Amino acid sequence: MHRRRRARRPGLGRVRRVRGLSTVVVEREAPGGQAGQSAAIENYLGFPRGLSGADLTHRAVAQVARFGAEMVVARDVVGLEQRGPVRAVLLDGEGEIEARALVVTTGVSYRRLEGEGLDEFTGRGVYYGATASEASQCEGDEVYVVGAANSAGQATLNLARHARKVVVLVRGESTAASMSRYLVDRIEAAENIEVRHRTEVVRGRGDGHLEEITLRDRDTGQEEQVATSWVFAYIGAVPRTDWLGESVLRDTKGFVLTGPELAHADGHGWGLERPPFALETSLPGVFAAGDVRLDSMKRVASAVGEGAMAVHFVHRYLATT
Ligand SMILES: Cc1cc2nc3c(=O)[nH]c(=O)nc-3n(C[C@H](O)[C@H](O)[C@H](O)COP(=O)(O)OP(=O)(O)OC[C@H]3O[C@@H](n4cnc5c(N)ncnc54)[C@H](O)[C@@H]3O)c2cc1C
């Protein structure tokens, strides 16, 4: 939250000005977000050997402090109000922060695989929402995809271009209801893709990296161990945007529309003569960055990059008001 004047902030100390702005970061749990849960982030620029999410978080928090922004942790933002030029966020319990501009980076929650031991291999064989960079590393391997929706289908086809074999694990009887027909057709036509229905992953084992998983037939209960170093899970990502109320336009799943996307939206109510800035939402002065944004990349590097872009647009917005 970027403010030009001091605002009502119960219980908070004085905030130093960062590049002419006083900035408050509100975090409901602990700093780090999803990235903080990753055992190994290997695709973030500047860390050729990768680093853990905890390490990245530690570095980020130190940097936030050095730049003089204030962190308010263990406080949940539960509402947003427009008061003339002021954008006020309401905190749980009592309290609020009035700001001149707001950057929404509340991200998504990926549903996690529940099988025994799988948590410890997150980023070391178990991936959530993986992209092309991970796919290209599977060259010649047998990989497992968990999920039955379009995101799982698209990832399967992408992985099949690199992997020797892709096995799709589907909890239900079929993917027909949850996956687009063209994806189902392409998956069925691919020679190196196998779909196993009524099957789930119940265990993961390995020494520092995933080496083996246990599959369970949900009808018979029969278990089978298979060797693999790759499990990609697509079992749902939900944006955390309920608190934005009605003034910030989202798609049907709750992802925030920004910039040019607003031009294609019905009834977006953009009332200004100037077009919205690239990461600006339907409420002027409120920006969105990272996973919470519609069609975002769902990567650390893109979330960080969009955050930096959003700050640039905050400055431009403040210059117009
Ligand atoms: C297990 C896992 C491993 C991953 N590994 C990699 C990887 O190796 N490489 C990579 O590039 N990407 C990885 N990703 C994806 C990457 O972590 C995300 O793309 C990135 O963290 C998105 O950042 P974000 O700031 O947009 O959102 P998030 O990381 O989701 O952060 C949102 C933050 O907002 C807080 N918040 C939410 N709602 C509220 C509220 N109402 N009030 C206050 N605070 C709130 C949350 O507690 C959270 O800390 C991984 C994701 C997961 C889940």
Side-chain angles (χ1 to χ4, degrees), residues 3 5 7-8 83 86-89 96-100:
R3 296 165 306 141
R5 296 189 197 97
R8 280 188 278 153
R83 300 172 186 164
V86 167
R87 307 288 175 257
V89 293
E96 62 182 39
I97 301 174
E98 287 191 335
R100 294 285 306 283

Side-chain angles (χ1 to χ4, degrees), residues 271-309:
L272 304 183
E273 266 184 36
R274 68 162 174 86
F277 294 117
L279 297 178
E280 198 167 21
T281 70
S282 54
L283 181 57
V286 176
F287 299 80
D291 285 15
V292 77
R293 227 172 46 73
L294 180 64
D295 285 340
S296 60
M297 296 291 294
K298 311 284 185 292
R299 296 289 93 187
V300 174
S302 51
V304 169
E306 287 182 12
M309 274 172 71

Side-chain angles (χ1 to χ4, degrees), residues 26-44 75-78 105-110 112 122-123 126-129 134 240 243 289-292 297-303:
V26 185
E27 166 56 52
R28 76 165 161 200
E29 292 166 7
Q34 298 168 67
Q37 302 162 26
S38 181
I41 297 169
E42 299 187 0
N43 58 347
Y44 190 52
R75 294 303 300 273
D76 211 336
V77 174
V78 293
T105 60
T106 41
V108 300
S109 305
Y110 272 96
R112 307 290 290 267
T122 299
V126 177
Y127 302 91
Y128 294 89
E134 282 102 353
R240 295 145 156 178
W243 62 275
D291 285 15
V292 77
M297 296 291 294
K298 311 284 185 292
R299 296 289 93 187
V300 174
S302 51

Side-chain angles (χ1 to χ4, degrees), residues 6-78:
R6 282 188 56 70
R8 280 188 278 153
R9 298 176 308 116
L12 303 180
R14 175 146 181 75
V15 180
R16 275 165 52 201
R17 294 172 84 78
V18 182
R19 285 184 60 203
L21 305 175
S22 56
T23 304
V24 182
V25 182
V26 185
E27 166 56 52
R28 76 165 161 200
E29 292 166 7
Q34 298 168 67
Q37 302 162 26
S38 181
I41 297 169
E42 299 187 0
N43 58 347
Y44 190 52
L45 186 71
F47 298 91
R49 291 185 192 154
L51 81 172
S52 70
D55 191 3
L56 184 61
T57 301
H58 180 72
R59 289 162 185 262
V61 169
Q63 210 163 1
V64 165
R66 195 167 70 82
F67 278 113
E70 179 171 347
M71 289 217 65
V72 176
V73 289
R75 294 303 300 273
D76 211 336
V77 174
V78 293

